[in-house]
Amino acid sequence: MKQSVKNIKTPIPRIAAVHDLSGYGRASLTVAIPVLSAMGMQVCPLPTAVLSSQTGSIKDFSFFDLTAQMQEIVGKWENLEVHFDAVYSGFLGSPKQVDIVSQLMQNLGKKEALFLVDPVLGDDGKLYATQTQEIVQNMRRLVEQADIITPNFTEVCFLLDMPYEEKISTKQAKDYLKALAAMGTSKKKKSVIITSAPCEDEHIVRILAYDTENKQFWQAKSPRVPASYPGTGDTFSSVLLGSLLQKDSLAMAMARAGRFVYEAMHMTYSYHTTYIDGIMLERTLPQLASHEMLPFEDF
């Protein structure tokens, strides 16, 4: 007898989280699962690769591509007829994985499912060690299908094939946001958040958003913590997705995610731990229940 979960109702949102699994350093699935679970979501992980550690400033790491296994897992999910309220795509380990994620969204996303793509490609103007130009090209195809994307500024430049700049004007920022939102040929409206936009004040971190539904630009700012930790982008996108599924507006979700990342970084910095260990998520997860946000405004 065929097993199926098609008609089994769940009182909480179910998310397919497509990320790598890094054994050391808090990033990707080891961030997404606890954050979204703490926000009341069921997380179904689809690992894209298994790594010995996160790769930020770590040169000696192992990398196991799970492209073939992903295809089989998605096939088994299709047999079970399990459907998702959201598909959340992060680090991809090969160009072919773009097609697998597309298949997952098209076949197993519910009618109103939210498709969030965090195009994990690079930082500080450079590609990550595991990423290639072929993955960049394929990532553009995935971005075209998304409901919301959350690139950092380096990833914005790769997606738009623009030179990386240390500073940009407000007009440039709006042009980049609109260009990203316009990527693709479908009529689907795409919202965009840039998680680390250049800011004139080097002591401030700025997050920018474009709400295509209302054609409105938003920004939120926080003090810059004098440290850099892996997994902060994964943390931001996870809190953002959880907030949206809790029916926060785009601006509120952006501000809530920004506040949580700032608090986690600030607390971690106070312990003077090595930055490759990532943010001390375990100490800050309870703050997700408070719904605290950064101040936000239109621009």
Side-chain angles (χ1 to χ4, degrees):
M1 182 177 178
K2 180 182 177 181
Q3 291 181 304
S4 173
V5 297
K6 182 178 181 180
N7 296 317
I8 298 178
K9 296 183 181 295
T10 174
I12 60 175
R14 181 185 291 130
I15 302 166
V18 190
H19 288 264
D20 70 277
L21 178 61
S22 294
Y24 170 74
R26 302 171 180 91
S28 303
L29 284 175
T30 58
V31 166
I33 292 174
V35 165
L36 288 164
S37 296
M39 298 180 78
M41 314 290 161
Q42 179 189 4
V43 183
C44 299
L46 179 60
T48 60
V50 174
L51 292 88
S52 56
S53 68
Q54 57 82 15
T55 61
S57 298
I58 296 178
K59 295 182 179 180
D60 184 18
F61 61 86
S62 60
F63 176 92
F64 301 97
D65 180 1
L66 298 184
T67 301
Q69 289 75 17
M70 286 176 66
Q71 187 70 66
E72 182 175 348
I73 291 168
V74 172
K76 300 299 184 184
W77 284 355
E78 289 177 348
N79 291 342
L80 279 174
E81 298 182 277
V82 57
H83 288 79
F84 298 96
D85 298 281
V87 173
Y88 170 22
S89 174
F91 175 92
L92 300 184
S94 73
K96 187 178 179 181
Q97 292 182 5
V98 167
D99 296 321
I100 298 173
V101 177
S102 296
Q103 173 192 348
L104 171 62
M105 182 61 203
Q106 291 167 12
N107 295 349
L108 297 180
K110 293 181 180 178
K111 184 177 180 181
E112 301 299 325
L114 184 64
F115 187 15
L116 187 151
V117 174
D118 180 9
V120 180
L121 295 170
D123 205 357
D124 297 323
K126 301 176 182 178
L127 285 176
Y128 292 131
T130 56
Q131 304 303 83
T132 65
Q133 284 298 330
E134 186 179 3
I135 291 180
V136 172
Q137 292 171 5
N138 281 33
M139 188 67 76
R140 290 174 184 145
R141 291 197 294 112
L142 197 62
V143 163
E144 291 173 358
Q145 304 168 47
D147 295 300
I148 181 168
I149 61 173
T150 57
N152 62 34
F153 188 65
T154 293
E155 290 155 353
V156 169
C157 296
F158 278 117
L159 291 172
L160 296 178
D161 197 20
M162 301 286 288
Y164 179 78
E165 300 178 66
E166 295 290 339
K167 295 181 180 180
I168 58 171
S169 66
T170 297
K171 181 182 182 305
Q172 283 177 294
K174 288 184 174 181
D175 288 344
Y176 287 176
L177 286 164
K178 288 192 289 187
L180 288 167
M183 287 181 69
T185 56
S186 70
K187 295 181 179 179
K188 178 182 286 190
K189 293 183 177 179
K190 181 176 21 273
S191 292
V192 181
I193 291 179
I194 302 176
T195 60
S196 58
C199 187
E200 292 151 356
D201 187 342
E202 62 182 13
H203 301 293
I204 296 294
V205 173
R206 184 165 67 146
I207 308 164
L208 303 179
Y210 180 44
D211 183 349
T212 54
E213 187 73 29
N214 302 299
K215 298 191 184 315
Q216 192 162 10
F217 298 92
W218 297 97
Q219 68 175 352
K221 299 177 181 179
S222 67
R224 182 179 295 277
V225 176
S228 178
Y229 300 102
T232 51
D234 304 322
T235 304
F236 178 93
S237 295
S238 298
V239 178
L240 177 84
L241 177 59
S243 300
L244 292 171
L245 291 173
Q246 291 177 346
K247 305 305 181 184
D248 285 347
S249 69
L250 182 71
M252 291 170 62
M254 169 194 70
R256 188 175 171 194
R259 175 64 181 263
F260 181 78
V261 171
Y262 167 71
E263 294 291 348
M265 291 183 66
H266 189 261
M267 186 276 299
T268 304
Y269 182 68
S270 73
Y271 281 90
H272 302 289
T273 58
T274 175
Y275 65 91
I276 62 173
D277 200 34
I279 54 175
M280 297 175 68
L281 194 64
E282 301 80 4
R283 291 291 182 93
T284 48
L285 279 176
Q287 295 184 23
L288 288 170
S290 69
H291 290 252
E292 293 183 2
M293 307 175 196
L294 294 173
F296 61 91
E297 61 186 3
D298 57 355
F299 76 101

